[in-house]
Amino acid sequence: MTADRSITPRTTTRRRLIAGAALLPLLALAACGYGSDKKDTTTDTAATGSTSSKKLSASEVKIGYFANLTHGTALVGLAKNGPIRQALGSTTVKTSVFNAGPAEIEALNAGSIDIGWIGPSPSINGFVKSGGKSLKIISGSASGGVKLVVNPKKIKTLADVKGKKIATPQLGNTQDVAFLNWIADQGWKVDATTGKGDVSVVRTDNKITPDAYKAGSIDGAWVPEPTASKLVAEGAKVLLDESSLWDGGKFVITNVIVSQSFLKAHPDVVKAVLQGSVNTNVWINANSDKAKAIANQELATLSGKALKDEVIDPAWKSISFTDDPLASTLQTEADHAVKAGLLKKPDLSGIYDLSILNSVLKADGKTAISDAGLGS
């Protein structure tokens, strides 16, 4: 596959040089363990897990993710000396950054990445379109962090959304499906493909959504963090937090997928990545402010500009980092895509393979996670 314009590939060497420079102020704040600039970071195993000394079966692993805070596990875990890099030991990590899920699925299918942090809707689409042969969901990563934010001068109530122009990141992505489902629940009609109807659904890259809002070309957006809080900083208001629509306030926003061919050929590498991911989530939840700062530095490396406190603080608080893929909510999100007309009724049997994740959790003395009957 030729390089997709929505992808920013970087070699490990270049990434470490850039990220290392960006993280120096942060690293100086930490006394030991993760966040420390010490070459030997194996001492704080509660935070990072021990560095792998065993040579793994693959000399390189290609990992994809988004420059979104909802992908905070990847941002923190793949930072310099991050737990995922530590768990992989001498295996080289090459990363690609995406703007939306469909492009990441294309990259996975083409072999441009092996493992990816991604939303549920692209995961479902990739699995279904390949006849269940392309990918497996192997872990959860995050819940929450999605909001409907609007221009308060034009939209004061939920009913006012009718007739307005609302952005989503991309046709068929997780937020697009969620918004189309919400529109249907209001009794309004929208053509899912064109986005035209009682509400104008404007598919807009997250990178340019704030500019589109400032220019007045959209009246609001159903978007993940930090885009939602960027809009709020420009004067928008939060009209609806998607978590309020889900039982218990929890729904999968980011999970981890792997190419089935890579999983079969290199289960030890997959296990190392998942060990690093579990270690990262433990560390994030125990060190929220430090993790937020590292994620912000990584975003600065990717975009050239760190987020202001007024943006990152509320954004970070709205996201829960978890190893649980919240499998029951995946089926619900698939049903939403069916209702929107974007997907035929899918058979998701076998979309999950949580066996390696659960082996990691068991070794750490943690409870196994359910695949809600959708496992291999």
Side-chain angles (χ1 to χ4, degrees), residues 51-193:
T51 301
S52 174
S53 59
K54 181 180 178 181
K55 187 174 181 179
L56 301 177
S57 63
S59 60
E60 174 185 282
V61 59
K62 296 167 288 188
I63 299 178
Y65 61 99
F66 297 5
N68 289 348
L69 290 178
T70 51
H71 289 227
T73 305
L75 289 171
V76 174
L78 290 167
K80 182 184 179 183
N81 294 331
I84 297 174
R85 290 188 182 275
Q86 287 200 36
L88 284 164
S90 62
T91 296
T92 298
V93 181
K94 289 190 176 180
T95 61
S96 296
V97 177
F98 297 81
N99 292 319
E104 185 170 338
I105 293 297
E106 289 179 10
L108 187 84
N109 290 340
S112 298
I113 63 170
D114 306 309
I115 296 173
W117 270 254
I118 195 170
S121 289
S123 303
I124 293 167
N125 288 334
F127 182 79
V128 171
K129 288 180 179 179
S130 70
K133 297 179 180 179
S134 67
L135 63 86
K136 292 285 186 181
I137 298 174
I138 52 175
S139 178
S141 181
S143 171
V146 180
K147 299 165 187 172
L148 170 62
V149 293
V150 300
N151 184 333
K153 295 180 180 179
K154 296 182 178 181
I155 301 173
K156 299 185 183 300
T157 69
L158 291 173
D160 294 336
V161 173
K162 188 175 184 179
K164 302 302 191 297
K165 296 172 289 186
I166 307 296
T168 64
Q170 188 175 17
L171 173 63
N173 97 309
T174 302
Q175 289 77 52
D176 189 66
V177 171
F179 184 47
L180 290 172
N181 181 71
W182 181 83
I183 289 172
D185 285 347
Q186 311 314 302
W188 304 336
K189 302 294 183 182
V190 168
D191 182 278
T193 302

Side-chain angles (χ1 to χ4, degrees), residues 193-212:
T193 302
T194 65
K196 296 179 179 179
D198 291 331
V199 180
S200 294
V201 183
V202 185
R203 278 77 185 217
T204 309
D205 190 311
N206 284 329
K207 292 189 296 185
I208 64 174
T209 297
D211 290 334

Side-chain angles (χ1 to χ4, degrees), residues 1-13:
M1 173 180 153
T2 56
D4 191 295
R5 285 182 294 176
S6 65
I7 306 173
T8 306
R10 293 171 295 154
T11 65
T12 301
T13 301

